[in-house]
Amino acid sequence: GNILYANSAGVRLIGAKSFLEIKDRKIFDFVHPFLKDSVKDRIEGLYDHKNVPSREERILKLDKTMIDVEISGIPISFDGLPAVQVIARDITERKQFEMLEHARNNVLDQLIAKKPLSFVLEEIIRGIELIYPEMKASILLLVILPVRKVWT
């Protein structure tokens, strides 16, 4: 289906400056190719008046970056034609916080289990890169050796 209307919050969510940037665009322009079949099934379910519960999804913004949203829809009539009203809420920050909490708990579990420091540090790096995929993390450990006095 095509986008027929979006309020200002929807326009901002998708990363557009005005509704005209997204008017008549295909909804699948904002769906990751991996999720297209799932989204298609949900839309068809709405047209068939089936109960389609809200769920968390990742959508593509105009600049092709991904954001996490909680999305739901209801069947409506728009200008006398069947349509779907989609309600999406940006949950990116909440998802990042949840991933950060999970990573923190994982590191604490490794420390409690007395895992080697190198293993724990690798867990920290994996957690950072999972939460912030655009960031590449590294940790450098230096051993400071005692200075030896040389007698002449």
Side-chain angles (χ1 to χ4, degrees):
N2 293 357
I3 297 175
L4 303 174
Y5 171 79
N7 65 10
S8 61
V11 170
R12 282 191 312 273
L13 179 75
I14 215 71
K17 290 182 176 63
S18 75
F19 172 65
L20 295 177
E21 285 185 77
I22 59 174
K23 184 178 189 298
D24 294 326
R25 297 268 309 256
K26 299 277 185 205
I27 192 70
F28 290 108
D29 290 349
F30 305 99
V31 175
H32 191 281
F34 184 73
L35 299 172
K36 285 189 179 189
D37 289 338
S38 170
V39 170
K40 183 180 174 228
D41 290 346
R42 289 175 56 82
I43 291 171
E44 288 174 0
L46 287 166
Y47 279 126
D48 293 339
H49 297 283
K50 293 180 182 166
N51 181 21
V52 179
S54 67
R55 65 192 266 181
E56 295 178 1
E57 293 279 359
R58 299 199 80 202
I59 63 171
L60 293 168
K61 294 174 67 167
L62 276 178
D63 65 3
K64 300 301 180 195
T65 58
M66 301 283 287
I67 60 169
D68 294 297
V69 295
E70 182 178 66
I71 196 159
S72 61
I74 57 170
I76 63 168
S77 177
F78 189 83
D79 289 338
L81 298 172
V84 172
Q85 178 181 355
V86 175
I87 301 158
R89 183 171 63 97
D90 187 348
I91 58 169
T92 303
E93 285 185 18
R94 187 189 89 202
K95 295 300 284 184
Q96 286 178 335
F97 177 77
E98 288 172 357
M99 287 192 293
L100 185 61
E101 277 295 299
H102 177 74
R104 183 184 67 85
N105 289 337
N106 195 25
V107 167
L108 290 174
D109 290 343
Q110 303 308 321
L111 290 170
I112 290 169
K114 299 188 187 301
K115 297 285 183 173
L117 181 60
S118 60
F119 185 85
V120 175
L121 294 174
E122 284 295 322
E123 286 296 309
I124 292 170
I125 290 171
R126 262 195 294 279
I128 291 169
E129 291 177 347
L130 178 67
I131 296 166
Y132 305 103
E134 70 283 357
M135 182 185 295
K136 295 297 174 204
S138 64
I139 296 175
L140 175 64
L141 293 178
L142 299 175
V143 176
I144 309 278
L145 298 174
V147 177
R148 291 189 321 174
K149 293 186 178 180
V150 179
W151 299 98
T152 57

